[in-house]
PDB file of all heavy atoms in Angstrom:
ATOM      1  N   LEU A 301     -48.928  -6.293 -45.324  1.00  0.00           N
ATOM      2  CA  LEU A 301     -47.713  -6.236 -46.129  1.00  0.00           C
ATOM      3  C   LEU A 301     -47.584  -7.458 -47.045  1.00  0.00           C
ATOM      4  O   LEU A 301     -47.001  -7.368 -48.125  1.00  0.00           O
ATOM      5  CB  LEU A 301     -46.486  -6.124 -45.232  1.00  0.00           C
ATOM      6  CG  LEU A 301     -46.267  -4.754 -44.580  1.00  0.00           C
ATOM      7  CD1 LEU A 301     -45.180  -4.832 -43.521  1.00  0.00           C
ATOM      8  CD2 LEU A 301     -45.911  -3.708 -45.639  1.00  0.00           C
ATOM      9  N   ASP A 302     -48.102  -8.594 -46.629  1.00  0.00           N
ATOM     10  CA  ASP A 302     -48.098  -9.759 -47.508  1.00  0.00           C
ATOM     11  C   ASP A 302     -49.016  -9.534 -48.714  1.00  0.00           C
ATOM     12  O   ASP A 302     -48.693  -9.936 -49.840  1.00  0.00           O
ATOM     13  CB  ASP A 302     -48.541 -11.013 -46.744  1.00  0.00           C
ATOM     14  CG  ASP A 302     -47.402 -11.651 -45.955  1.00  0.00           C
ATOM     15  OD1 ASP A 302     -46.230 -11.438 -46.323  1.00  0.00           O
ATOM     16  OD2 ASP A 302     -47.681 -12.370 -44.966  1.00  0.00           O
ATOM     17  N   GLN A 303     -50.140  -8.888 -48.466  1.00  0.00           N
ATOM     18  CA  GLN A 303     -51.087  -8.624 -49.545  1.00  0.00           C
ATOM     19  C   GLN A 303     -50.648  -7.463 -50.425  1.00  0.00           C
ATOM     20  O   GLN A 303     -50.875  -7.459 -51.647  1.00  0.00           O
ATOM     21  CB  GLN A 303     -52.476  -8.341 -48.958  1.00  0.00           C
ATOM     22  CG  GLN A 303     -53.099  -9.544 -48.264  1.00  0.00           C
ATOM     23  CD  GLN A 303     -54.369  -9.183 -47.522  1.00  0.00           C
ATOM     24  OE1 GLN A 303     -54.837  -8.039 -47.561  1.00  0.00           O
ATOM     25  NE2 GLN A 303     -54.961 -10.160 -46.839  1.00  0.00           N
ATOM     26  N   ASP A 304     -50.004  -6.470 -49.806  1.00  0.00           N
ATOM     27  CA  ASP A 304     -49.618  -5.268 -50.545  1.00  0.00           C
ATOM     28  C   ASP A 304     -48.224  -4.834 -50.093  1.00  0.00           C
ATOM     29  O   ASP A 304     -48.077  -3.912 -49.289  1.00  0.00           O
ATOM     30  CB  ASP A 304     -50.633  -4.153 -50.285  1.00  0.00           C
ATOM     31  CG  ASP A 304     -50.382  -2.933 -51.161  1.00  0.00           C
ATOM     32  OD1 ASP A 304     -49.649  -3.059 -52.169  1.00  0.00           O
ATOM     33  OD2 ASP A 304     -50.918  -1.857 -50.838  1.00  0.00           O
ATOM     34  N   PRO A 305     -47.160  -5.486 -50.594  1.00  0.00           N
ATOM     35  CA  PRO A 305     -45.793  -5.158 -50.169  1.00  0.00           C
ATOM     36  C   PRO A 305     -45.423  -3.726 -50.525  1.00  0.00           C
ATOM     37  O   PRO A 305     -46.002  -3.123 -51.434  1.00  0.00           O
ATOM     38  CB  PRO A 305     -44.933  -6.155 -50.957  1.00  0.00           C
ATOM     39  CG  PRO A 305     -45.865  -7.250 -51.357  1.00  0.00           C
ATOM     40  CD  PRO A 305     -47.202  -6.597 -51.553  1.00  0.00           C
ATOM     41  N   VAL A 306     -44.439  -3.197 -49.806  1.00  0.00           N
ATOM     42  CA  VAL A 306     -43.929  -1.866 -50.100  1.00  0.00           C
ATOM     43  C   VAL A 306     -42.556  -1.994 -50.749  1.00  0.00           C
ATOM     44  O   VAL A 306     -41.903  -3.041 -50.658  1.00  0.00           O
ATOM     45  CB  VAL A 306     -43.838  -0.998 -48.825  1.00  0.00           C
ATOM     46  CG1 VAL A 306     -45.210  -0.798 -48.223  1.00  0.00           C
ATOM     47  CG2 VAL A 306     -42.873  -1.624 -47.812  1.00  0.00           C
ATOM     48  N   GLN A 307     -42.140  -0.944 -51.403  1.00  0.00           N
ATOM     49  CA  GLN A 307     -40.839  -0.949 -52.054  1.00  0.00           C
ATOM     50  C   GLN A 307     -39.747  -0.805 -51.006  1.00  0.00           C
ATOM     51  O   GLN A 307     -39.795   0.075 -50.147  1.00  0.00           O
ATOM     52  CB  GLN A 307     -40.749   0.208 -53.046  1.00  0.00           C
ATOM     53  CG  GLN A 307     -39.526   0.147 -53.937  1.00  0.00           C
ATOM     54  CD  GLN A 307     -39.785  -0.613 -55.220  1.00  0.00           C
ATOM     55  OE1 GLN A 307     -40.798  -1.279 -55.340  1.00  0.00           O
ATOM     56  NE2 GLN A 307     -38.873  -0.510 -56.165  1.00  0.00           N
ATOM     57  N   SER A 308     -38.743  -1.697 -51.071  1.00  0.00           N
ATOM     58  CA  SER A 308     -37.635  -1.616 -50.133  1.00  0.00           C
ATOM     59  C   SER A 308     -36.563  -0.690 -50.665  1.00  0.00           C
ATOM     60  O   SER A 308     -36.582  -0.275 -51.827  1.00  0.00           O
ATOM     61  CB  SER A 308     -37.036  -3.001 -49.881  1.00  0.00           C
ATOM     62  OG  SER A 308     -36.173  -3.366 -50.935  1.00  0.00           O
ATOM     63  N   ASP A 309     -35.587  -0.397 -49.824  1.00  0.00           N
ATOM     64  CA  ASP A 309     -34.495   0.473 -50.216  1.00  0.00           C
ATOM     65  C   ASP A 309     -33.613  -0.189 -51.275  1.00  0.00           C
ATOM     66  O   ASP A 309     -32.835   0.474 -51.950  1.00  0.00           O
ATOM     67  CB  ASP A 309     -33.648   0.827 -48.988  1.00  0.00           C
ATOM     68  CG  ASP A 309     -32.680   1.963 -49.241  1.00  0.00           C
ATOM     69  OD1 ASP A 309     -33.127   3.000 -49.735  1.00  0.00           O
ATOM     70  OD2 ASP A 309     -31.473   1.801 -48.944  1.00  0.00           O
ATOM     71  N   PHE A 310     -33.747  -1.507 -51.432  1.00  0.00           N
ATOM     72  CA  PHE A 310     -32.952  -2.247 -52.413  1.00  0.00           C
ATOM     73  C   PHE A 310     -33.675  -2.383 -53.747  1.00  0.00           C
ATOM     74  O   PHE A 310     -33.175  -3.006 -54.668  1.00  0.00           O
ATOM     75  CB  PHE A 310     -32.601  -3.638 -51.876  1.00  0.00           C
ATOM     76  CG  PHE A 310     -31.765  -3.600 -50.624  1.00  0.00           C
ATOM     77  CD1 PHE A 310     -32.344  -3.809 -49.380  1.00  0.00           C
ATOM     78  CD2 PHE A 310     -30.413  -3.319 -50.685  1.00  0.00           C
ATOM     79  CE1 PHE A 310     -31.585  -3.778 -48.229  1.00  0.00           C
ATOM     80  CE2 PHE A 310     -29.642  -3.279 -49.538  1.00  0.00           C
ATOM     81  CZ  PHE A 310     -30.221  -3.505 -48.300  1.00  0.00           C
ATOM     82  N   GLY A 311     -34.882  -1.838 -53.829  1.00  0.00           N
ATOM     83  CA  GLY A 311     -35.617  -1.879 -55.073  1.00  0.00           C
ATOM     84  C   GLY A 311     -36.546  -3.055 -55.233  1.00  0.00           C
ATOM     85  O   GLY A 311     -37.291  -3.136 -56.218  1.00  0.00           O
ATOM     86  N   ASP A 312     -36.531  -4.020 -54.276  1.00  0.00           N
ATOM     87  CA  ASP A 312     -37.443  -5.152 -54.368  1.00  0.00           C
ATOM     88  C   ASP A 312     -38.608  -4.943 -53.411  1.00  0.00           C
ATOM     89  O   ASP A 312     -38.737  -3.910 -52.763  1.00  0.00           O
ATOM     90  CB  ASP A 312     -36.709  -6.465 -54.074  1.00  0.00           C
ATOM     91  CG  ASP A 312     -36.001  -6.436 -52.730  1.00  0.00           C
ATOM     92  OD1 ASP A 312     -36.059  -5.397 -52.041  1.00  0.00           O
ATOM     93  OD2 ASP A 312     -35.380  -7.449 -52.360  1.00  0.00           O
ATOM     94  N   GLN A 313     -39.483  -5.937 -53.322  1.00  0.00           N
ATOM     95  CA  GLN A 313     -40.659  -5.809 -52.473  1.00  0.00           C
ATOM     96  C   GLN A 313     -40.361  -6.260 -51.044  1.00  0.00           C
ATOM     97  O   GLN A 313     -39.677  -7.258 -50.825  1.00  0.00           O
ATOM     98  CB  GLN A 313     -41.818  -6.637 -53.042  1.00  0.00           C
ATOM     99  CG  GLN A 313     -42.376  -6.088 -54.348  1.00  0.00           C
ATOM    100  CD  GLN A 313     -43.604  -6.849 -54.794  1.00  0.00           C
ATOM    101  OE1 GLN A 313     -43.736  -8.049 -54.582  1.00  0.00           O
ATOM    102  NE2 GLN A 313     -44.527  -6.155 -55.435  1.00  0.00           N
TER     103      GLN A 313
END
Side-chain angles (χ1 to χ4, degrees):
L301 286 170
D302 277 336
Q303 294 172 3
D304 187 17
V306 298
Q307 190 91 348
S308 80
D309 193 51
F310 298 101
D312 55 359
Q313 291 186 326

